[in-house]
Amino acid sequence: LAVEAQTPALSRLAGGPTMGPARIAGRLTEVKPGWRFAGQTQASNLDLGAYSLAQAAGPFEVTSKAGEWDVKTRLAGSGGRGTGLLAAAMGASPKASFEGARLADGRLALRELVLTGPGVKVEARGGRSLLGGLTFKGEAAISNLAAARRGAAGSASATWSASQSKAGQPWTLTADARGDRLATGYAEIDRLLGARPQLKAQGNVQGRRVSVGSASLQGAALKASTAGVLAADGGLTFKLDWSASGPFRAGPAEISGNAKGSGAITGTLSAPRADLLADVDQIDVPRLPLKAAHVTLSFLRKPDGSSGMVALAATSAY
């Protein structure tokens, strides 16, 4: 059976980012004990914020048998343009291939994912164990940062793994990301992170609930760690611990020496709140040097339009 379908606005059907006209055409064939559809797909005017893609097209195949759906596709993009990190990574003609399945028990199994562009390379593969568990491992590399922002340079790489023992159980995730001669183009961030920052994280995902068991960031002048839960309803419950080496500048004030602190992120994704506590060795305000300072910061949207408050207690010879 020859099948053709088209829509003037794919995003109205699929949701997600803005997507314009799309078309799919191919042949539906009986393949006992199920069926297979093989053809070509094309989508235009994909808008991802600061980056847009004029067109993505390629072969598309779906096979259904015994309650399981297998999907394969290879897409080639054209007319990519924009600014920022995503544009520098994807470039004008990114390419992607995907192979996965929706199992009979409702789980999603990703078998292969490849994404390439002038500044990005992602490769990931998954499988199914003899006992029915799912696994997924991959690695990614980002380069071409100089095209993203003036002053940016270097590269970053990451590896990750995910596993699920059986249906109804959470996914267990681990990730490890590192920078190599990395520069973001923001002077203070680059001083804190240094050329080879490292980020490690592990946690669980079940449905819309994300539980972060531990996440740590190690930079040249900054150490930070967090743990907590993003609930299914969007509620946030995270704790923070950090330490950093100065100096830091905030307008006419300079925070010198070392600083350390703790805090919490609560509220919801749509209305987050951050409460931070910091102990600072010394703050050099013009004509008023302060020592042994204790700072309390709260970031939240208030009815009067302000975005937070700050309180400072310190000792001074004045």
Side-chain angles (χ1 to χ4, degrees):
L1 179 68
V3 177
E4 179 180 337
Q6 55 187 345
T7 174
L10 180 60
S11 55
R12 294 180 61 184
L13 297 176
T18 301
M19 295 178 284
R23 178 180 180 271
I24 188 169
R27 230 169 245 285
L28 186 66
T29 309
E30 182 183 13
V31 180
K32 294 182 178 181
W35 54 265
R36 179 180 65 196
F37 173 83
Q40 295 284 325
T41 184
Q42 176 181 310
S44 304
N45 302 333
L46 282 71
D47 189 355
L48 301 173
Y51 176 72
S52 62
L53 197 62
Q55 179 177 283
F60 181 77
E61 181 179 316
V62 180
T63 304
S64 175
K65 59 182 179 180
E68 182 173 312
W69 293 55
D70 291 323
V71 180
K72 299 179 182 179
T73 186
R74 293 194 309 274
L75 299 175
S78 60
R81 59 188 182 277
T83 59
L85 179 60
L86 188 59
M90 301 290 282
S93 305
K95 292 180 173 60
S97 63
F98 171 85
E99 182 177 344
R102 185 185 186 277
L103 305 181
D105 58 14
R107 290 185 295 169
L108 299 178
L110 183 58
R111 299 194 179 106
E112 183 178 78
L113 173 66
V114 177
L115 173 65
T116 58
V120 65
K121 183 177 182 181
V122 178
E123 294 183 352
R125 287 174 174 80
R128 191 173 183 180
S129 68
L130 293 176
L131 299 179
L134 299 178
T135 60
F136 180 58
K137 297 181 179 180
E139 57 187 24
I142 298 177
S143 57
N144 197 32
L145 296 182
R149 174 180 168 82
R150 178 177 296 181
S155 62
S157 61
T159 59
W160 68 87
S161 65
S163 62
Q164 184 187 39
S165 58
K166 59 182 180 180
Q169 296 296 311
W171 281 89
T172 299
L173 309 175
T174 61
D176 187 344
R178 302 169 184 263
D180 183 16
R181 294 173 290 178
L182 182 67
T184 65
Y186 297 95
E188 185 61 23
I189 293 177
D190 291 337
R191 186 189 72 82
L192 292 172
L193 294 181
R196 289 176 171 81
Q198 182 177 3
L199 173 65
K200 292 185 176 182
Q202 61 180 16
N204 297 323
V205 177
Q206 187 169 23
R208 297 178 61 184
R209 185 180 188 274
V210 180
S211 176
V212 179
S214 65
S216 61
L217 174 63
Q218 176 75 54
L222 172 68
K223 295 180 181 179
S225 62
T226 185
V229 175
L230 169 60
D233 61 0
L236 298 168
T237 309
F238 283 86
K239 63 178 182 179
L240 301 171
D241 290 289
W242 62 273
S243 63
S245 301
F248 313 92
R249 288 195 174 275
E254 180 179 287
I255 301 174
S256 56
N258 298 322
K260 62 180 181 179
S262 60
I265 299 177
T266 56
T268 65
L269 279 176
S270 59
R273 170 173 179 150
D275 295 290
L276 308 177
L277 304 176
D279 293 307
V280 182
D281 287 348
Q282 184 171 326
I283 301 178
D284 294 326
V285 181
R287 301 184 180 87
L288 184 61
L290 304 174
K291 295 182 178 181
H294 182 75
V295 184
T296 301
L297 295 169
S298 295
F299 297 96
L300 71 161
R301 181 62 59 184
K302 300 179 66 179
D304 62 3
S306 63
S307 58
M309 60 190 73
V310 58
L312 169 65
T315 60
S316 176
Y318 299 89

